[in-house]
Amino acid sequence: GVSGSPNLLSKDAEGQRWAIIGGALLDAGFVKASIPALGRAVVADKDNTMLHVALGEALALSNNGWITESAKAEFDFAIKADPNDLIARFYMAHWLLQTGKAKLALVKWVGLMRTVGDDKVWNDRLWEVMPQAADQVGISRLALKALCTASM
């Protein structure tokens, strides 16, 4: 709240300021502009997995969804700290697909689909990427839909 604002001005809050700036830029769609701010936030708060994920996502989005080694390193860090991080898992499945492991990527995304349940944002996001992997391994959309809803 507003009462916490003076704390943001303290020397110790530099990382938090960069996190706010980087996050705001990323949310506003200024992906490339968010990267330096998020990078500084990560340097200031090395153990914050949310910052690593945000930086990894910004790096991936700035490369048209391509998971670079630097983006992958951020997601790897996050998954080691929290194996259930949805965003990191989503992008690591992208990395699997781009490195020729379509079947494994699809398995990861189907697992995510089962995890997110009826969350429309995640469902839409996953249905944007899963068909490409399914096509590569010869699975129809109907079979993919069955895989995603089985045991739910």
Side-chain angles (χ1 to χ4, degrees), residues 8-9 20 24 30 39 41 58 65 70-71 83 92 94 100 107 114 116 131-132 137:
L8 284 175
L9 301 176
I20 291 168
F30 298 106
S70 54
M92 287 306 291
H94 265 291
V107 167
R114 291 179 177 183
V116 300
Q132 181 183 358
V137 295

Side-chain angles (χ1 to χ4, degrees), residues 67-98:
I67 312 304
T68 61
E69 285 303 313
S70 54
K72 183 180 179 299
E74 300 302 332
F75 298 130
D76 282 337
F77 178 92
I79 287 175
K80 282 181 187 166
D82 179 7
N84 295 315
D85 188 290
L86 294 176
I87 298 170
R89 288 171 55 199
F90 176 79
Y91 282 107
M92 287 306 291
H94 265 291
W95 178 80
L96 290 168
L97 181 63
Q98 80 186 30

Side-chain angles (χ1 to χ4, degrees), residues 86-130:
L86 294 176
I87 298 170
R89 288 171 55 199
F90 176 79
Y91 282 107
M92 287 306 291
H94 265 291
W95 178 80
L96 290 168
L97 181 63
Q98 80 186 30
T99 57
K101 299 175 183 106
K103 186 175 185 178
L104 189 52
L106 188 58
V107 167
K108 300 288 185 184
W109 282 326
V110 168
L112 273 175
M113 184 61 89
R114 291 179 177 183
T115 300
V116 300
D118 292 332
D119 184 307
K120 181 170 175 19
V121 172
W122 273 106
N123 273 281
D124 291 349
R125 198 171 189 189
L126 287 162
W127 276 106
E128 283 180 31
V129 295
M130 288 190 305

Side-chain angles (χ1 to χ4, degrees), residues 6-17 44-45:
N7 292 338
L8 284 175
L9 301 176
S10 76
K11 185 178 146 191
D12 296 334
E14 182 178 359
Q16 190 176 5
R17 288 192 302 271
D45 190 357

Side-chain angles (χ1 to χ4, degrees), residues 128-146:
E128 283 180 31
V129 295
M130 288 190 305
Q132 181 183 358
D135 288 346
Q136 288 185 27
V137 295
I139 295 176
S140 70
R141 276 200 178 237
L142 184 60
L144 180 58
K145 192 160 188 86

